[in-house]
Amino acid sequence: MVITKKERRMVAFVWFTSIFVLLEVLAFFLMFVMKDTMAAAKLPFPHTIFIVFVNNWRSLLEAGVITFSRAAIGFGIGAGVGIFLAVIMSLSKTAEKIAFPYLIMSQMIPVLGLAPIIFNIVRDMNLSRIIIAAYITFFPVSVNMLSGLKSVEQDKKDLLYSIATSKFEVYRKLMFPFSMSYLFTGLKIAAPMAVTASILVDMLGSRGGIGVRILYSLYSNTTDIFWASVMTSALMGIFSFYVIVIAENLLLPWRRGASKKDGEKV
Amino acid sequence: MNNKLKNILWPLAFGIGFILIWELGYLHEVLDLRPFQLPIPSQIMTTLYNNLPKVLKDGGVTVIGALIGLTIGSFFGFMIAFLATWFPKWGYGGMIVVTALNAVPIVALSPIMNLWFTTGMAQKIGVVTVVCMAAMAINAYSGLNNLKAFSLDLMETVAADKWVVFRKLRLPNALPNVFTALKINIAASIIAAIISEYFAASTSGLGFGIKDHLRKAEMAMGWSYIVVASLVGVVLYAIIILVERDAIKWHASQR
Amino acid sequence: GDGKKLDKVVLQLKWLPQSQFMGYYVAMEKGYYEDEGIQIEILPGGSDIIPEQQVYNGVADVGVTWVSSLMKYQSEGWELLHVGQIFQKSAMLLVSKASSGIESPSDLVGKKVGSWFGGNEYEIFALLEANGINRNTDLELVQQDFTMNQILNGTIDAASAMTYNEYGLLLAAGLDASEINVLDMNDEGVAMLQDCLFVNSDWIKNNEDLFVRFLRASIKGWADAVADPEAAGQIVYNVDQSVSLEHQVYMAKEVAKLVVPEGFDPAQIGYIDMDAVVQTAEHSYTYGLLTSPAVISEETITSKYWEEAVK
Amino acid sequence: MNGSEIQIKNVNMIYKGKRGEDIVALNDVNLDIREGEFISLLGPSGCGKTTLLRIIADLLRPTTGSVTINGQSPKDIRLQRKYGIVFQNPVLYDWRTVRRNICLPMEIMKIPRKERTARIDKTLDLVGLKDFGYEYPFELSGGMQQRIGIARALALDPEILLMDEPFSALDEFTREKLNEDLLKIWRKTKKTIIFVTHNIPESVFLSDRVVVLSPHPGRVSAVVDIDLPRPRESSLREMPEFYEYVAKIRKSFEGV
Amino acid sequence: MNGSEIQIKNVNMIYKGKRGEDIVALNDVNLDIREGEFISLLGPSGCGKTTLLRIIADLLRPTTGSVTINGQSPKDIRLQRKYGIVFQNPVLYDWRTVRRNICLPMEIMKIPRKERTARIDKTLDLVGLKDFGYEYPFELSGGMQQRIGIARALALDPEILLMDEPFSALDEFTREKLNEDLLKIWRKTKKTIIFVTHNIPESVFLSDRVVVLSPHPGRVSAVVDIDLPRPRESSLREMPEFYEYVAKIRKSFEGV
Ligand SMILES: Nc1ncnc2c1ncn2[C@@H]1O[C@H](COP(=O)(O)OP(=O)(O)OP(=O)(O)O)[C@@H](O)[C@H]1O
Ligand SMILES: Nc1ncnc2c1ncn2[C@@H]1O[C@H](COP(=O)(O)OP(=O)(O)OP(=O)(O)O)[C@@H](O)[C@H]1O
Ligand SMILES: Cc1ncc(C[n+]2csc(CCO)c2C)c(N)n1
Ligand SMILES: [Mg+2]
Ligand SMILES: [Mg+2]
């Protein structure tokens, strides 16, 4: 089944409106049927969030730009490190056996414990924030990339092996192109996560950003800004996801064809 | 057998080497840290030993929440991938929703869940559930849809219904991806459970312990909790690896 | 600045930019730091920011924190020096809805009581202990998140609140003062000192003069702020609009009462009341924050810079 | 009109290439296949044999033209599960052992377990893989994998059997043995078999008719009736008529 | 001793099955291959032909026994990039067009761009895919894919060419044409060629010697010298000596 652009737009529209309506109904239910005193905090009416969003679009946009640009940098570095680690681990089973448990462990160190150490090493808040954002982002990229690298079929490797191809060339000509679709799966997970990571590091005393808006609005009980900020972060996540999807379509033309062929069913 | 031993010995040797470097102060020297900023392993272990019952109890609370959330979240994530595959036109919207959720930070999610659920455990499960959905949904979707050439044709020829295609082709084909997602989610679920506990209306759990002690300069105690979290992560990872090895022994990655 | 190169001072706040820290913002806005040859940078706090660590790391030069927390860090070996006391009173309250009937500490028995923990719980511990309530068995202490939703929601019966912030938020949420019962730590005799200024002991050795200039400018700022909280609130609001101007001004007014309590000489802003420090140290030790009595010496706390600054 | 007469009418197939160009695979193909007929498709590589087979099996829609099977569309027939296909490359599921790969279509058709096991045993034996039932496909040689694909289709016992170069990776002896086995099965079950091959003697040995396709674009260039007696046995391969047919087809091929 | 004499000594190959069982693929195989020899491997499916080829190419280590090539190990030879392989299934990279698939090994060998283009043009023409250079592999038929694999190995012009059933998916005419082309190339370049096939006439037509393997476990059951004159042309196929050899090999095969 080939889905046209027009259909896709229609589908998106229907999804958007039905979620909107559903949330309106739920919010109504909460407020007027359940008579929940905290209804506005638990689940505000989406239209009110939307109005707050529109009224504050400038400041939210400003904050969004700060957060998103940091997310992009953190994502870039995180993805790079993730790919690098995956390559190291795929080069040797021993390296994988050594590294993977420790990578898991590293993910168990919360930012609260990690941040002071990073600050102490870099002594620059902004750089530290980027490092931490990257640290949060790299893991899914690494895991997915590694699983791609490990899924390369033996006979494809044999072809290069038989002409004594250097490791570097094997990666360049085979392992990387083959793993691209796996990598993109990882990137699709990591991109929105980079937004959350960036929001988290906003809270490390940043001056602006969606994270600051969320933190301040929580602390000052300004529920509407809180929800508008949450909505902004969700939108940024979708945006980042689509950036990856578009990049995938541009960079992996052979896949578009291959999957279409599978989908092109009678 | 020899190989299996090596698989354990190497990482262990590496860990011991690292711990030694850390213990003997070289790490602190390189990073210009003082022991009261980052305690040395022996301090952590002593503290851990002295507080073992409490730390284990807290660890239990967090791990149970993380595992339940991991299960529910992975299940929902898979269901979304399933729907997106089943209804390629309409279901894909679910993937976008999951992506949007994936961009809501835990620090925002936790207070929301605090409102929806009153107990710390329910809040934790709620947070972990949301956090675990995306990795599973996106990975499972790619596994359910990136089929080998012609494998679908075989199903078509015997007019297999969608459900059979799903069970006998898409599902096994997606298994390697599901394991990939589980590996990500193991790490994600524990850290999400920990961070959710920063805000939970409860005073138990690794997250509460970490935050409480690290803020109060009780670094050894805070790091004891981190050590427990790490060990739990590694043990869960090991379990996944073992199950994976058995479940997808046919896959290129296992050869 | 008359073309002279300014010395940079980085100030780490304990929390978000808000009127709790209005003195510094006023001083910055009015150019008092520049007058002292200082280029000031104010770092906001955040959920994962610990001022003691920031100052020790050198990310910031001067920090704002609570005295008990500072003592804890000092006792763990962090070479930090307490060099000025901005809040003379505790702002900590235990608030509850009047309907829950908590009028005295003894009414807390059997209730769910919220605290932020992480070092903010010791005044409550002291309050309970002083009233013969066992904090482990007689009631349930739970963690509060950033919001006051839990008390509004009824999930907890009593919540920690700062006079200048959370209490105001309850009012803003539509509760009338008469609907809120308050236990004030100062009245209950279990107060511990809060916002103080501290520095890295190493840093101050080479920057004594700089710090004195910083303190002088800050005190000037605080004096102006206390004198005109409305204006101070406005100045803070200009820096950060995430809270309403109204709430910022409310906070400024309440903070003013902590910086210059009734009967306190406004010229003495920043004065370190050693009796209060000792009480804070004693409570911190007695109720378990500190594992050994706090060392109160020139190594840990000193008024000499303040004396120099107010000369 | 009888059971499964296949009528291919003016079938054109144009693929859209990656760069948007048209690739004409089949051009105006017309062919009638009788019920129970054994028909072979011959033709140079890339002439559209697989494409035609896929169109008959309803795995592909022709760009224009139609295929009807006993008045019904390929889709109807497919939904009635009358097709069995041996694909050009074996299309095995990595996660299933040999036996379970063979079992798969039967599972879907809800053939009782006992019957399934019996058929697996029989076909495994037929293709000479009795001892390899519990291996995974990747542990087998190319020819062995191909034989699993054959066993899978035969185990299914379909009304219409479409075989795309099923014996290409087999040695002559295995191939000849399987040729004979296939004929036996065909004789017993009266299936319609459409058989793609590059081996002209094989096509003569097996078929009622041999259809030769010419390439670029694929069209029917010759249809040769093979009037050799049935049942055919390996001795047929030594007969002069046999060689005449082989030569004849080779000749019609050369014109291509 | 000359350039690339291949000595296979007491080679045993035992695979470890997934369930821990032993699969004996080769049992005590001994074979000497002269430099510049064209040798064919024949044998029933699953007898170990591919395995032997992979051992020679250093893609697999024999369980016991050794292979030496002019005194060196297969690894040495592989590192000197003297091998070219046509795999049994074409092993194409999905993400590369036909041309870029053929180009790949040459890229790695750092052959200059111009030379590469020339060779691609030449081999594409040779295998009859001139017009398909810019398609992706999945847009091509099975036989066309196989020919890309052949073109890729030929473009490389290796000293030792290992070909695993390279023409199995091709029609007789394309196959015969490629047979002759291959012989021409061989005559010109003096490569050593080890050629796996199931087609006995093909093996006779091409080879200096035909090695017949018997299965389970794979061992050498016959070695037949083909004393037919060179250069060989298609007319050879009509000669009685040719048929004698075919018959002889078929016979030695039957004993298997
Ligand atoms: N990776 C493997 N693991 C286990 N067994 C294997 C593996 N590869 C091959 N074998 C076994 O080794 C034997 C020889 O296989 P090989 O591929 O060499 O056969 P072949 O002669 O090339 O057959 P064909 O003509 O069918 O390609 C077979 O029995 C096969 O099952
Ligand atoms: N998916 C596809 N997309 C574009 N072109 C295709 C596709 N499949 C086949 N073709 C083209 O259609 C033509 C016929 O292909 P087909 O596979 O039917 O050939 P064939 O006769 O089976 O050849 P072979 O004997 O090599 O298997 C070829 O030119 C091929 O390039
Ligand atoms: C994580 C965390 N959450 C809430 C508070 C409560 N709080 C916010 S500001 C403030 C006054 C500090 O000067 C207090 C007590 C905290 N400290 N840390
Ligand atoms: Mg074909
Ligand atoms: Mg083989």
Side-chain angles (χ1 to χ4, degrees):
Chain A
M1 166 147 45
V2 184
I3 298 159
T4 64
K5 250 197 180 124
K6 206 172 143 194
E7 277 178 310
R8 206 172 305 152
R9 236 174 266 144
M10 203 255 296
V11 168
F13 176 77
V14 171
W15 264 93
F16 180 80
T17 32
S18 36
I19 287 177
F20 194 91
V21 170
L22 182 78
L23 291 179
E24 287 283 340
V25 170
L26 282 178
F28 181 88
F29 184 78
L30 212 57
M31 183 164 282
F32 295 107
V33 182
M34 304 277 288
K35 304 217 187 296
D36 192 320
T37 48
M38 298 303 295
K42 278 184 181 171
L43 182 67
F45 285 101
H47 71 263
T48 58
I49 304 175
F50 192 72
I51 290 167
V52 173
F53 184 78
V54 169
N55 287 341
N56 293 276
W57 73 272
R58 266 200 101 84
S59 74
L60 283 172
L61 184 73
E62 250 166 57
V65 165
I66 293 174
T67 299
F68 197 83
S69 54
R70 190 145 53 215
I73 299 171
F75 174 79
I77 297 172
V81 170
I83 292 169
F84 176 77
L85 287 171
V87 169
I88 298 292
M89 287 190 285
S90 76
L91 276 170
S92 117
K93 266 221 148 51
T94 311
E96 183 195 342
K97 292 289 186 288
I98 294 176
F100 213 107
Y102 294 100
L103 291 185
I104 297 252
M105 284 193 191
S106 79
Q107 292 299 294
M108 299 292 110
I109 305 173
V111 169
L112 187 65
L114 187 75
I117 296 173
I118 304 275
F119 290 162
N120 198 70
I121 300 167
V122 235
R123 289 174 198 273
D124 176 273
M125 290 290 278
N126 219 14
L127 184 57
S128 299
R129 280 191 207 108
I130 287 169
I131 291 174
I132 292 167
Y135 159 86
I136 295 172
T137 315
F138 86 85
F139 191 68
V141 179
S142 214
V143 175
N144 268 80
M145 182 73 185
L146 179 62
S147 94
L149 291 171
K150 285 174 63 179
S151 300
V152 178
E153 292 128 6
Q154 188 59 41
D155 53 7
K156 287 198 166 70
K157 286 192 228 171
D158 285 346
L159 172 65
L160 292 180
Y161 193 73
S162 72
I163 46 173
T165 311
S166 66
K167 274 261 158 29
F168 174 75
E169 291 279 305
V170 170
Y171 274 81
R172 198 160 74 114
K173 309 271 186 200
L174 170 60
M175 307 295 268
F176 281 132
F178 181 92
S179 309
M180 277 303 138
S181 62
Y182 291 79
L183 173 63
F184 274 101
T185 305
L187 295 181
K188 280 179 218 167
I189 299 166
M193 261 180 75
V195 173
T196 68
S198 176
I199 287 173
L200 188 68
V201 298
D202 280 344
M203 298 184 184
L204 294 173
S206 170
R207 237 172 274 284
I210 293 295
V212 171
R213 306 304 309 260
I214 288 179
L215 188 68
Y216 290 15
S217 58
L218 276 172
Y219 185 58
S220 59
N221 212 16
T222 36
T223 319
D224 47 355
I225 291 282
F226 170 76
W227 280 98
S229 305
V230 168
M231 188 174 123
T232 311
S233 69
L235 290 177
M236 287 194 295
I238 293 176
F239 178 71
S240 69
F241 179 82
Y242 269 113
V243 169
I244 304 294
V245 169
I246 289 165
E248 184 181 18
N249 285 339
L250 283 177
L251 293 175
L252 313 185
W254 70 88
R255 271 202 73 225
R256 245 183 310 163
S259 55
K260 191 164 129 204
K261 189 178 167 202
D262 269 334
E264 197 173 48
K265 280 281 71 78
V266 263
Chain B
M1 325 308 108
N2 190 18
N3 236 3
K4 252 183 208 162
L5 205 63
K6 260 192 358 213
N7 286 346
I8 297 174
L9 282 183
W10 264 112
L12 216 59
F14 183 83
I16 290 169
F18 181 75
I19 288 171
L20 273 181
I21 289 172
W22 184 357
E23 177 70 30
L24 296 177
Y26 300 117
L27 186 69
H28 284 77
E29 215 163 288
V30 172
L31 302 184
D32 191 16
L33 283 166
R34 303 282 298 274
F36 49 74
Q37 291 178 282
L38 175 67
I40 58 174
S42 57
Q43 270 179 298
I44 298 176
M45 290 327 284
T46 319
T47 313
L48 181 56
Y49 183 77
N50 292 336
N51 296 281
L52 202 57
K54 173 150 173 48
V55 177
L56 287 185
K57 198 175 134 263
D58 283 332
V61 170
T62 305
V63 170
I64 287 171
L67 285 182
I68 295 175
L70 171 75
T71 312
I72 301 176
S74 298
F75 175 78
F76 279 137
F78 190 88
M79 285 315 291
I80 286 163
F82 170 78
L83 291 176
T85 307
W86 198 269
F87 308 106
K89 187 168 150 192
W90 289 100
Y92 196 76
M95 300 290 292
I96 305 302
V97 172
V98 122
T99 304
L101 284 180
N102 195 23
V104 177
I106 304 175
V107 282
L109 220 47
S110 300
I112 298 174
M113 294 291 173
N114 257 347
L115 284 169
W116 290 351
F117 305 108
T118 45
T119 70
M121 184 54 86
Q123 176 247 18
K124 181 164 35 240
I125 292 171
V127 171
V128 176
T129 298
V130 172
V131 166
C132 286
M133 276 186 339
M136 180 57 83
I138 294 171
N139 259 310
Y141 181 81
S142 115
L144 291 174
N145 288 284
N146 289 347
L147 304 175
K148 262 205 191 155
F150 303 112
S151 55
L152 203 53
D153 285 351
L154 178 63
M155 287 292 176
E156 298 269 328
T157 43
V158 284
D161 59 47
K162 264 180 153 182
W163 173 236
V164 168
V165 172
F166 177 79
R167 241 181 40 225
K168 299 199 187 278
L169 172 58
R170 294 188 190 275
L171 185 62
N173 192 64
L175 267 189
N177 305 67
V178 168
F179 278 104
T180 304
L182 285 178
K183 285 181 212 164
I184 295 172
N185 278 350
I186 288 228
S189 66
I190 296 175
I191 196 71
I194 285 174
I195 297 179
S196 78
E197 283 164 350
Y198 286 7
F199 311 92
S202 128
T203 53
S204 55
L206 294 176
F208 177 81
I210 289 170
K211 179 186 165 185
D212 193 42
H213 293 293
L214 287 187
R215 291 187 76 85
K216 289 195 288 204
E218 289 162 357
M219 300 298 168
M221 192 65 191
W223 281 89
S224 303
Y225 279 98
I226 295 178
V227 164
V228 170
S230 304
L231 291 180
V232 169
V234 169
V235 168
L236 291 180
Y237 165 71
I239 292 172
I240 287 289
I241 291 289
L242 289 178
V243 176
E244 179 187 37
R245 197 181 300 165
D246 203 50
I248 56 168
K249 51 175 175 276
W250 45 269
H251 189 243
S253 64
Q254 303 298 311
R255 280 177 223 160
Chain C
D2 41 5
K4 211 171 61 183
K5 207 172 152 270
L6 299 177
D7 299 312
K8 180 151 186 165
V9 171
V10 181
L11 172 67
Q12 175 66 60
L13 304 182
K14 187 172 178 66
W15 200 242
L16 317 178
Q18 56 184 0
S19 298
Q20 180 187 359
F21 311 107
M22 59 187 177
Y24 316 109
Y25 285 106
V26 169
M28 178 167 77
E29 170 70 21
K30 298 199 171 173
Y32 296 162
Y33 289 118
E34 229 167 280
D35 294 345
E36 297 285 349
I38 291 171
Q39 185 205 341
I40 187 78
E41 185 185 354
I42 301 180
L43 298 181
S47 55
D48 284 352
I49 291 282
I50 300 163
E52 285 88 339
Q53 303 201 356
Q54 296 283 89
V55 169
Y56 187 84
N57 285 343
V59 173
D61 303 316
V62 185
V64 179
T65 192
W66 288 12
V67 172
S68 56
S69 172
L70 179 61
M71 285 173 172
K72 175 71 179 181
Y73 272 84
Q74 288 168 330
S75 80
E76 291 287 331
W78 302 64
E79 291 117 352
L80 301 167
L81 188 56
H82 182 173
V83 285
Q85 185 61 42
I86 304 303
F87 287 11
Q88 305 298 338
K89 277 179 67 183
S90 167
M92 178 74 80
L93 308 173
L94 260 189
V95 295
S96 51
K97 286 189 185 158
S99 52
S100 63
I102 300 172
E103 267 149 29
S104 70
S106 56
D107 296 329
L108 291 168
V109 173
K111 295 288 198 293
K112 243 187 181 176
V113 178
S115 165
W116 294 299
F117 286 92
N120 302 153
E121 67 272 36
Y122 291 96
E123 284 179 273
I124 297 170
F125 286 4
L127 175 74
L128 296 175
E129 198 111 343
N131 290 280
I133 301 168
N134 183 322
R135 65 174 187 257
N136 294 315
T137 53
D138 292 347
L139 46 56
E140 193 186 347
L141 279 170
V142 300
Q143 183 175 229
Q144 266 172 253
D145 61 17
F146 291 124
T147 67
M148 289 307 275
N149 289 332
Q150 287 154 303
I151 187 93
L152 292 168
N153 222 357
T155 334
I156 58 178
D157 302 305
S160 302
M162 308 306 281
T163 53
Y164 51 79
N165 191 22
E166 286 81 6
Y167 183 77
L169 292 176
L170 287 184
L171 298 176
L175 289 180
D176 190 78
S178 65
E179 292 176 282
I180 307 171
N181 283 352
V182 167
L183 296 173
D184 186 319
M185 299 303 140
N186 299 294
D187 301 343
E188 303 293 336
V190 293
M192 289 161 79
L193 285 176
Q194 295 170 354
D195 296 23
C196 69
L197 287 172
F198 70 98
V199 291
N200 184 320
S201 308
D202 264 346
W203 178 84
I204 191 80
K205 279 186 198 128
N206 304 316
N207 295 287
E208 295 196 319
D209 174 58
L210 177 59
F211 178 72
V212 169
R213 275 148 51 204
F214 166 83
L215 195 53
R216 196 180 292 130
S218 301
I219 291 170
K220 235 173 131 186
W222 273 110
D224 286 6
V226 170
D228 187 357
E230 302 245 358
Q234 176 72 54
I235 286 170
V236 175
Y237 180 78
N238 292 343
V239 172
D240 182 86
Q241 282 99 42
S242 49
V243 203
S244 66
L245 175 60
E246 215 178 350
H247 185 67
Q248 215 59 272
V249 170
Y250 163 84
M251 187 183 293
K253 286 180 177 160
E254 288 299 321
V255 166
K257 293 183 206 159
L258 302 170
V259 176
V260 182
E262 250 167 83
F264 187 82
D265 175 6
Q268 297 283 83
I269 288 175
Y271 167 75
I272 303 178
D273 172 1
M274 286 312 282
D275 291 344
V277 169
V278 167
Q279 177 175 338
T280 302
E282 277 171 359
H283 282 174
S284 298
Y285 176 57
T286 312
Y287 301 112
L289 176 60
L290 302 179
T291 46
S292 56
V295 178
I296 299 179
S297 71
E298 279 292 303
E299 298 291 297
T300 56
I301 181 164
T302 179
S303 293
K304 67 181 185 195
Y305 305 111
W306 177 78
E307 278 156 14
E308 183 78 18
V310 294
K311 244 202 268 184
Chain D
M1 222 181 253
N2 46 14
S4 36
E5 188 185 51
I6 302 173
Q7 295 185 302
I8 299 165
K9 272 219 185 92
N10 307 326
V11 161
N12 281 281
M13 181 71 219
I14 301 171
Y15 289 103
K16 271 266 164 271
K18 259 285 108 190
R19 291 160 300 135
E21 80 284 14
D22 282 353
I23 304 174
V24 183
L26 293 176
N27 186 354
D28 203 26
V29 171
N30 284 284
L31 192 64
D32 275 18
I33 301 167
R34 288 183 295 276
E35 189 194 358
E37 188 171 6
F38 198 125
I39 204 161
S40 284
L41 295 181
L42 272 177
S45 168
C47 72
K49 303 178 294 296
T50 300
T51 303
L52 185 58
L53 224 57
R54 288 168 60 81
I55 287 174
I56 294 173
D58 189 40
L59 295 175
L60 212 58
R61 283 259 181 77
T63 312
T64 63
S66 71
V67 175
T68 50
I69 293 126
N70 194 22
Q72 293 182 291
S73 73
K75 183 166 181 180
D76 295 331
I77 302 299
R78 184 171 63 79
L79 294 181
Q80 292 160 35
R81 298 179 165 166
K82 292 191 173 172
Y83 292 121
I85 306 191
V86 180
F87 294 92
Q88 190 167 1
N89 39 356
V91 190
L92 303 173
Y93 288 1
D94 302 337
W95 51 88
R96 286 178 167 247
T97 60
V98 170
R99 291 186 73 93
R100 303 224 318 121
N101 261 293
I102 297 174
C103 193
L104 178 72
M106 294 193 283
E107 274 168 45
I108 293 168
M109 292 207 176
K110 302 236 160 39
I111 290 168
R113 182 176 302 269
K114 239 178 139 174
E115 170 77 14
R116 269 169 7 205
T117 314
R119 289 204 204 170
I120 294 169
D121 288 337
K122 212 178 80 186
T123 52
L124 262 185
D125 197 21
L126 187 81
V127 298
L129 290 176
K130 234 183 4 210
D131 299 339
F132 294 87
Y134 297 98
E135 308 292 331
Y136 284 91
F138 72 88
E139 296 172 298
L140 301 183
S141 78
M144 290 158 99
Q145 292 181 10
Q146 196 178 36
R147 284 180 278 160
I148 305 171
I150 298 165
R152 183 176 55 199
L154 292 180
L156 200 57
D157 192 22
E159 265 181 44
I160 302 173
L161 183 56
L162 309 173
M163 306 178 86
D164 199 350
E165 307 187 24
F167 305 139
S168 65
L170 303 182
D171 57 287
E172 293 196 7
F173 290 89
T174 313
R175 175 178 264 209
E176 285 172 11
K177 178 193 164 289
L178 285 175
N179 278 181
E180 283 152 45
D181 290 337
L182 182 61
L183 279 188
K184 267 185 224 144
I185 291 171
W186 174 69
R187 193 160 4 116
K188 258 196 283 183
T189 57
K190 292 276 149 222
K191 316 176 182 309
T192 306
I193 299 185
I194 305 180
F195 189 93
V196 175
T197 181
H198 288 307
N199 190 313
I200 298 174
E202 181 176 71
S203 70
V204 173
F205 182 77
L206 293 170
S207 318
D208 295 326
R209 272 194 300 166
V210 173
V211 177
V212 182
L213 296 179
S214 67
H216 304 302
R219 53 170 84 223
V220 177
S221 73
V223 180
V224 180
D225 283 285
I226 312 291
D227 279 325
L228 290 172
R230 302 230 184 226
R232 295 176 187 167
E233 268 148 40
S234 76
S235 57
L236 181 73
R237 293 203 181 85
E238 257 99 85
M239 284 163 65
E241 299 99 299
F242 183 81
Y243 277 98
E244 271 160 38
Y245 277 117
V246 170
K248 184 174 172 189
I249 291 167
R250 187 163 280 147
K251 198 143 203 179
S252 79
F253 213 102
E254 250 155 26
V256 164
Chain E
M1 223 181 252
N2 45 15
S4 35
E5 188 184 53
I6 302 173
Q7 294 185 301
I8 300 164
K9 273 220 183 91
N10 306 323
V11 162
N12 281 281
M13 181 71 218
I14 302 171
Y15 290 102
K16 270 268 165 267
K18 264 286 129 187
R19 291 162 301 136
E21 79 283 14
D22 283 352
I23 304 173
V24 183
L26 293 176
N27 187 353
D28 204 27
V29 171
N30 284 284
L31 192 63
D32 275 18
I33 300 168
R34 286 183 297 275
E35 189 193 357
E37 189 172 3
F38 199 125
I39 204 162
S40 285
L41 296 182
L42 272 175
S45 167
C47 72
K49 303 178 294 297
T50 300
T51 303
L52 185 57
L53 226 55
R54 289 169 59 81
I55 288 174
I56 294 172
D58 190 38
L59 296 175
L60 211 59
R61 283 263 179 74
T63 313
T64 63
S66 69
V67 175
T68 50
I69 292 127
N70 194 22
Q72 293 181 295
S73 72
K75 182 167 181 183
D76 295 329
I77 303 299
R78 182 173 63 77
L79 293 181
Q80 293 160 35
R81 298 179 163 170
K82 293 191 171 169
Y83 292 122
I85 307 186
V86 180
F87 293 90
Q88 190 167 359
N89 37 356
V91 189
L92 303 173
Y93 290 2
D94 318 331
W95 53 91
R96 285 176 167 249
T97 60
V98 171
R99 291 187 74 92
R100 305 225 316 121
N101 261 292
I102 297 174
C103 193
L104 176 72
M106 293 191 285
E107 276 167 41
I108 285 156
M109 293 209 176
K110 303 242 157 35
I111 290 169
R113 185 175 299 270
K114 237 177 141 174
E115 170 78 13
R116 268 168 10 204
T117 315
R119 290 203 202 171
I120 294 170
D121 288 336
K122 212 178 82 185
T123 52
L124 262 184
D125 196 21
L126 188 82
V127 299
L129 291 175
K130 233 183 4 212
D131 299 338
F132 294 87
Y134 297 97
E135 310 291 331
Y136 283 94
F138 70 86
E139 296 173 295
L140 303 184
S141 77
M144 291 157 99
Q145 292 181 9
Q146 196 177 35
R147 284 181 278 160
I148 306 171
I150 298 166
R152 182 175 56 197
L154 292 180
L156 199 56
D157 192 22
E159 264 179 45
I160 302 172
L161 183 56
L162 309 173
M163 306 179 85
D164 200 351
E165 306 187 23
F167 305 139
S168 64
L170 303 181
D171 58 287
E172 291 194 10
F173 290 89
T174 312
R175 175 179 265 211
E176 284 171 12
K177 178 195 164 289
L178 284 176
N179 278 179
E180 284 151 43
D181 291 336
L182 182 61
L183 279 188
K184 266 184 226 144
I185 292 171
W186 174 68
R187 196 164 356 119
K188 258 196 281 182
T189 56
K190 291 278 146 221
K191 314 177 185 306
T192 306
I193 300 185
I194 306 180
F195 189 95
V196 175
T197 180
H198 288 306
N199 191 313
I200 299 174
E202 180 175 73
S203 70
V204 173
F205 182 77
L206 292 170
S207 319
D208 295 326
R209 273 194 299 164
V210 173
V211 176
V212 182
L213 296 179
S214 68
H216 303 304
R219 52 171 85 223
V220 177
S221 73
V223 180
V224 180
D225 283 282
I226 312 290
D227 280 325
L228 291 172
R230 303 241 185 216
R232 295 175 187 167
E233 269 150 37
S234 76
S235 58
L236 180 74
R237 293 203 180 84
E238 256 99 82
M239 283 163 65
E241 298 98 301
F242 183 81
Y243 277 98
E244 270 160 38
Y245 276 116
V246 170
K248 184 175 171 189
I249 291 167
R250 188 165 281 148
K251 197 143 203 180
S252 80
F253 212 104
E254 250 155 25
V256 165

